[in-house]
């Protein structure tokens, strides 16, 4: 059961960022387990279980990142990640569909949702859906904006189209889409309250998640990725 991170969580990740090497990590591995890995895994398990209770049709499954970077993709960086994340997604779309996520880093933690493995065909379907029913998508986007969610996703250098509606265009002209919030370390991250904060945040994102899930199911992922 998740009982909270501590001030040592962010501090450890800061230290790891500056001492990203195997000898240092091995000397501090128990600290990693106690203040980072154990509460991180507990939060993931509790959050997905509560989401499944709150949204019985969700059938969520969790995927956790590992602290170890892929040795084939170090590109001069150290072997360990100083940010960890986990995702929760419908079990039928766990690997290549839209997903909720939570991330911790040295200075902050973040919550969000997005469609990150989206194919060009799926993004074309996403844009077609906006064109066909802009009022429906505007309601979803306005709901997120009112609650402080920021759209995310790599924008196109040349916009696909303009609707004379900044809210629509901010979502429309991206290679992939999502929404997120970031928080400095502090309460409620240091208590079990974070679990409910996370569930409430994901609940706010659920309408947009379901919209993106429609796109996923309407367009086969085999169409290829960006």
């Amino acid at each position: 059961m998740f009982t909270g991170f501590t001030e040592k969580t962010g501090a450890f990740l800061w230290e790891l960022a500056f001492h990203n090497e195997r000898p240092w990590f091995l000397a501090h591995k128990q600290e990693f387990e106690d203040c980072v890995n154990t509460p991180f895994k507990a939060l993931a398990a509790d959050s997905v279980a509560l989401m499944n209770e709150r949204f019985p049709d969700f059938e969520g499954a969790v995927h956790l990142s590992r602290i170890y970077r892929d040795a084939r993709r170090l590109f001069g960086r150290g072997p360990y990640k100083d940010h960890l994340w986990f995702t929760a997604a419908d079990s039928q779309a766990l690997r290549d569909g839209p997903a909720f996520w939570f991330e911790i880093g040295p200075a902050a933690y973040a919550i969000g949702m997005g469609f990150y493995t989206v194919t060009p065909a799926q993004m074309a379907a996403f844009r077609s859906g906006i064109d066909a029913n802009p009022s429906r998508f505007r309601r979803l986007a306005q709901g997120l904006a009112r609650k402080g969610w920021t759209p995310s996703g790599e924008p196109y250098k040349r916009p696909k189209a303009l609707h004379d509606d900044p809210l629509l265009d901010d979502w429309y002209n991206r290679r992939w889409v999502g929404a997120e919030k970031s928080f400095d370390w502090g309460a409620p991250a240091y208590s079990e309250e974070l679990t409910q904060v996370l569930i409430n945040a994901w609940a706010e994102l659920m309408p947009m998640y379901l919209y993106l899930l429609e796109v996923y199911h309407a367009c086969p992922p085999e169409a290829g990725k960006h």
Side-chain angles (χ1 to χ4, degrees):
M1 180 177 177
F2 179 76
T3 58
F5 292 107
T6 71
E7 293 182 0
K8 292 182 179 179
T9 305
F12 177 89
L13 294 173
W14 271 121
E15 288 292 319
L16 180 61
F18 287 102
H19 302 93
N20 202 318
E21 53 194 23
R22 181 176 170 81
W24 186 91
F25 183 80
L26 292 179
H28 296 81
K29 191 169 184 179
Q30 190 58 52
E31 184 180 355
F32 164 71
E33 290 294 335
D34 293 343
C35 67
V36 180
N37 201 35
T38 296
F40 180 73
K41 289 182 175 180
L43 179 62
D46 290 356
S47 298
V48 174
L50 288 174
M51 279 291 282
N52 290 339
E53 290 181 12
R54 187 162 178 175
F55 300 97
D57 294 334
F58 178 54
E59 297 182 2
V62 68
H63 175 69
L64 293 94
S65 67
R66 300 173 69 245
I67 190 69
Y68 306 100
R69 285 196 176 110
D70 188 333
R72 300 168 298 178
R73 297 180 174 86
L74 293 181
F75 305 117
R77 299 173 297 178
Y80 305 103
K81 301 170 186 172
D82 56 19
H83 287 71
L84 291 176
W85 51 263
F86 63 80
T87 61
D90 187 284
S91 57
Q92 297 181 6
L94 180 61
R95 295 291 182 178
D96 53 11
F100 300 98
W101 56 264
F102 174 82
E103 182 182 67
I104 57 173
Y109 62 97
I111 302 171
M113 181 279 303
F115 199 172
Y116 304 106
T117 57
V118 65
T119 68
Q122 287 168 337
M123 281 306 297
F126 170 76
R127 291 189 292 271
S128 294
I130 295 177
D131 292 336
N133 193 345
S135 61
R136 179 194 178 195
F137 190 84
R138 187 181 295 108
R139 287 193 297 271
L140 294 174
Q142 285 175 335
L144 294 185
R146 283 195 297 267
K147 294 173 181 176
W149 292 99
T150 301
S152 60
E154 182 185 357
Y156 285 105
K157 293 181 180 179
R158 295 182 179 180
K160 291 288 184 180
L162 294 174
H163 298 83
D164 294 325
D165 185 333
L167 185 66
L168 289 186
D169 291 336
D170 200 17
W171 287 85
Y172 193 94
N173 292 296
R174 295 179 184 270
R175 295 182 181 275
W176 50 267
V177 289
E180 61 185 46
K181 287 182 182 180
S182 183
F183 307 84
D184 293 336
W185 281 111
Y190 299 151
S191 75
E192 65 275 9
E193 182 185 352
L194 181 60
T195 307
Q196 196 59 53
V197 169
L198 178 54
I199 295 305
N200 290 341
W202 283 354
E204 291 178 356
L205 293 166
M206 180 60 81
M208 185 64 79
Y209 172 83
L210 293 175
Y211 186 94
L212 296 178
L213 198 61
E214 288 180 22
V215 174
Y216 172 82
H217 287 305
C219 193
E222 295 79 11
K225 301 177 181 180
H226 287 286

